[in-house]
Amino acid sequence: MSLESTANRCFVCGPSNPIGLNVRFHLDDDVCRAEFTPRGEHVGYDGVTHGGILFSLLDDVMANWVFLRGERCYTARAEVRYRKPLPIGTPVRLEGRQEKRRGRLATLSGKIIRQDDDSVVAEASARFMVEAG
C-alpha cells in the first residue's frame, strides 16, 4: 500500500521529508515490520541512539499496523520501556502488533530488536484512537 499524500512528510516514514528517517513499513501476516539503522545525526550521547528517535520508531510501527490496513489513527496514550542502549550504526528490526480492538480504540505493542543478537532494545504499548470511517 502506498502512503497517502497527507503522510508523505511524516518524520519517520514520509518519503517527502528531507530530514526524516525514511522507514518503509510493510505487513507480514499479523505483524507490521520494518528495518532501521541509526546514523550519527540520531545520537543522544556517547554514541547511543537518542531515546526520542527510538520512541518515534515504536510509535510509527504500531500506527502503521492500522494505517496499512486502510484506517487512520492517532496515538492516545503510550508507555515505553527502554531495555538497553542502541549504539549508532546498529541495525534493528521493528515489529508492531495489535493486541486488541474495541470499537475505535486499538491497543498495540511494538518492539525494536537488534539484528545481530535478537535482543530487545525498547518496547512499547499504546492505545490509538482510530478515525471513524
Side-chain angles (χ1 to χ4, degrees):
M1 173 179 234
S2 63
L3 289 174
E4 297 174 1
S5 62
T6 57
N8 281 344
R9 296 200 42 88
C10 173
F11 176 70
V12 175
C13 64
S16 297
N17 188 329
I19 65 163
L21 303 181
N22 228 356
V23 176
R24 299 286 178 253
F25 294 100
H26 66 276
L27 292 174
D28 182 13
D29 292 323
D30 227 18
V31 181
C32 182
R33 298 184 189 277
E35 295 180 348
F36 179 73
T37 303
R39 300 183 307 267
E41 58 269 27
H42 305 133
V43 71
Y45 66 92
D46 292 340
V48 173
T49 307
H50 192 283
I53 296 293
L54 295 177
F55 179 72
S56 294
L57 293 166
L58 288 165
D59 187 52
D60 256 47
V61 75
M62 292 183 288
N64 270 278
W65 191 99
V66 175
F67 182 72
L68 291 173
R69 284 173 170 72
E71 295 182 287
R72 290 175 53 137
C73 65
Y74 299 93
T75 310
R77 176 180 215 155
E79 183 175 317
V80 63
R81 170 123 190 217
Y82 298 100
R83 297 204 170 271
K84 62 188 331 185
L86 179 63
I88 294 300
T90 305
V92 293
R93 294 190 314 273
L94 311 175
E95 295 181 358
R97 292 175 172 79
Q98 180 172 273
E99 302 297 332
K100 65 182 173 180
R101 172 93 179 248
R102 198 167 195 181
R104 290 180 46 218
L105 188 64
T107 302
L108 291 105
S109 63
K111 288 185 180 180
I112 299 175
I113 304 160
R114 285 179 63 139
Q115 290 185 16
D116 59 357
D117 65 7
D118 288 330
S119 63
V120 176
V121 172
E123 56 191 332
S125 60
R127 292 182 182 171
F128 291 82
M129 188 58 68
V130 180
E131 277 190 348

